[in-house]
Amino acid sequence: MDINKIREQFPILNRKIKGKDMIYLDNTATSQTPMPVVDAITDMYTQTKANVHRGVSTISQEATDMQEATRRRVAQWINASSEQEIIFTRGTTEAINLVASSFGNLLENGDEIILTTMEHHANIVPWQLLGQRKRIILRIVPINEVGELNLNAYRSLFNERTKLVAVCHVSNVLGTVNPIKDIIDFAHSNSVPVLVDGAQAIPHIKVDVRDLDADFYAFSAHKMYGPTGIGILYGKKRWLEMMPPYQGGGEMIANVSFDNTTFAELPFKFEAGTPDFVGIAALNKAIDFIEEIGYDNIAAHEHALLTYTTERMLKIPGMKIFGTSENKSAVISFLIGNEHHYDIGMLLDTLGIEVRTGHHCAQPLMRSLGIEGTVRASFAVYNTFEEADKFIAAVERVAAMLK
Ligand code: 7TS
């Protein structure tokens, strides 16, 4: 794997922050976008912009073909049984809201949903909103001291009212890679379906939805080198067919009259209005980017960066890293002594290091850790050991400054 060749595809990596070389370590929030994806967006805006699924014009048919080529590609890539199981949304957040709203319609007062302590707000609040419409009880799986789910507790939460498990594949704060297949197997042995929030898994781990036997799998394009504003909801056809539409409008209907409206076939039943067809077309190039490098190479490189950086950081006095599971993706959440995460992040920024600080949209997790926030550095395939060295030196400097 030639990192320099990879980096050449990302002009943004050459920019400066406050006069210093930028070191971008906020890949968990969003990854950067390689030129083939940017070029695909420009090409479509300059050559093929026409609304999709709108009749016989050549340009509309071309645009439609480009959008639908990505749908087929995604289906193949995650090994869905059919492209009808791939729904385009605005992001992971909208994908989960879709399930909460639509699958939620099938639930009854008193039904229970199992979540975990390490969920992003995107996989908490939609279920709470559903709980305002119906009396839904949320059961929460706790974590242990290294930031892994307590699977005994998980198994003990099931009862005859359990109707869904909604769990992240990888934690955006702790980096923990959850044993998602075991989690799904156990839920299925209780006839309970599982929604997997795959936002932090898909950039790093090969996902095979049929091997996992996930009922729903949600992710965002912008975290996997793709464009912003696009998410994917994979859903098993048998659930999607049972579920009512999420939003109403154009494209999702078969026939409309003021007396009676019938709905389109899957996946269009869940895609009201004009989608971001430009971004969807360009998403194909992000999958090319990942496949050309290969998940094995991505994972090996990121894991080496994680191990290298973690070992050195732990030598810094007062360093505390949150999330130390053996099976961990390249996310390092940390604090130094009693310093505020915000101060550490501000000082790192003056050195060109772009990290995220705060609660990372996981306030219940922060509460369980007894903290308000962390500083979080997260790696992507284009990050280098030289950048890791500069980051570590910067953290050492900031630690010394704050002493
Ligand atoms: N689920 C997880 C596990 C996430 O990490 C995120 C975003 C989302 C859902 C929501 O994704 P969206 O694309 O719909 O916004 N996580 C982060 C983060 O860690 N920092 O900024 C966004």
Side-chain angles (χ1 to χ4, degrees), residues 313-321 335-338:
M313 281 175 76
L314 286 172
K315 298 204 171 98
I316 300 171
M319 177 61 59
K320 168 103 180 86
I321 292 179
L335 286 172
I336 310 169
N338 291 324

Side-chain angles (χ1 to χ4, degrees), residues 231-335:
I232 279 123
L233 174 67
Y234 159 80
K236 278 185 188 164
K237 209 168 163 186
R238 81 180 173 95
W239 292 117
L240 296 177
E241 275 173 348
M242 237 183 264
M243 287 158 51
Y246 167 53
Q247 294 179 331
E251 285 306 296
M252 52 73 72
I253 52 87
N255 218 314
V256 178
S257 77
F258 284 113
D259 301 321
N260 184 34
T261 291
T262 52
F263 304 118
E265 294 289 311
L266 289 174
F268 305 108
K269 178 171 91 172
F270 290 108
E271 293 182 358
T274 301
D276 182 356
F277 55 86
V278 174
I280 294 169
L283 170 57
N284 221 333
K285 299 287 177 193
I287 301 175
D288 281 346
F289 174 80
I290 291 176
E291 290 205 317
E292 275 162 22
I293 301 172
Y295 271 111
D296 289 348
N297 291 326
I298 293 174
H301 176 65
E302 291 175 348
H303 195 261
L305 283 170
L306 173 71
T307 313
Y308 178 83
T309 310
T310 304
E311 277 172 11
R312 277 158 188 75
M313 281 175 76
L314 286 172
K315 298 204 171 98
I316 300 171
M319 177 61 59
K320 168 103 180 86
I321 292 179
F322 298 88
T324 52
S325 172
E326 280 287 303
N327 201 358
K328 184 177 166 178
S329 100
V331 179
I332 305 176
S333 280
F334 67 97
L335 286 172

Side-chain angles (χ1 to χ4, degrees), residues 28-29 91-93 120 122 172 197 199-200 220 222-223 356 376:
T28 300
T92 308
T93 303
H120 186 280
N172 69 319
D197 171 354
Q200 297 300 346
S220 298
H222 71 94
K223 293 188 197 287
R356 186 171 169 194
R376 184 187 65 185

Side-chain angles (χ1 to χ4, degrees), residues 24 40 48 52 103 124 179 252 294 372 393:
Y24 185 77
T48 327
V52 289
F103 180 86
I124 300 172
M252 52 73 72
E372 278 178 21

Side-chain angles (χ1 to χ4, degrees), residues 99-113:
V99 179
S101 166
S102 173
F103 180 86
N105 259 314
L106 309 176
L107 301 186
E108 288 169 10
N109 285 332
D111 282 347
E112 300 188 6
I113 295 175

Side-chain angles (χ1 to χ4, degrees), residues 36-155:
V37 176
V38 178
D39 288 340
I41 294 170
T42 309
D43 287 351
M44 197 156 184
Y45 273 118
T46 50
Q47 299 297 324
T48 327
K49 186 165 181 246
N51 210 330
V52 289
H53 294 289
R54 299 288 199 285
V56 297
S57 71
T58 299
I59 189 165
S60 168
Q61 285 184 17
E62 284 174 9
T64 305
D65 288 347
M66 289 165 83
Q67 166 170 299
E68 294 309 316
T70 299
R71 197 189 306 273
R72 281 194 300 282
R73 179 78 185 280
V74 171
Q76 256 173 18
W77 185 52
I78 63 169
N79 197 28
S81 319
S82 146
E83 64 217 59
Q84 287 186 295
E85 297 181 319
I86 305 299
I87 296 160
F88 291 119
T89 66
R90 275 195 308 118
T92 308
T93 303
E94 191 181 41
I96 298 173
N97 274 278
L98 187 161
V99 179
S101 166
S102 173
F103 180 86
N105 259 314
L106 309 176
L107 301 186
E108 288 169 10
N109 285 332
D111 282 347
E112 300 188 6
I113 295 175
I114 297 178
L115 307 179
T116 85
T117 308
M118 64 170 81
E119 297 312 312
H120 186 280
H121 296 163
N123 198 24
I124 300 172
V125 185
W127 308 110
Q128 290 175 329
L129 292 175
L130 172 64
Q132 290 174 1
R133 287 198 280 133
K134 296 182 180 183
R135 203 170 56 77
I136 300 292
I137 297 153
L138 302 179
R139 303 265 179 215
I140 313 299
V141 185
I143 57 171
N144 65 18
E145 59 293 344
V146 297
E148 294 164 342
L149 295 176
N150 178 335
L151 293 179
N152 284 333
Y154 166 66
R155 289 186 278 263

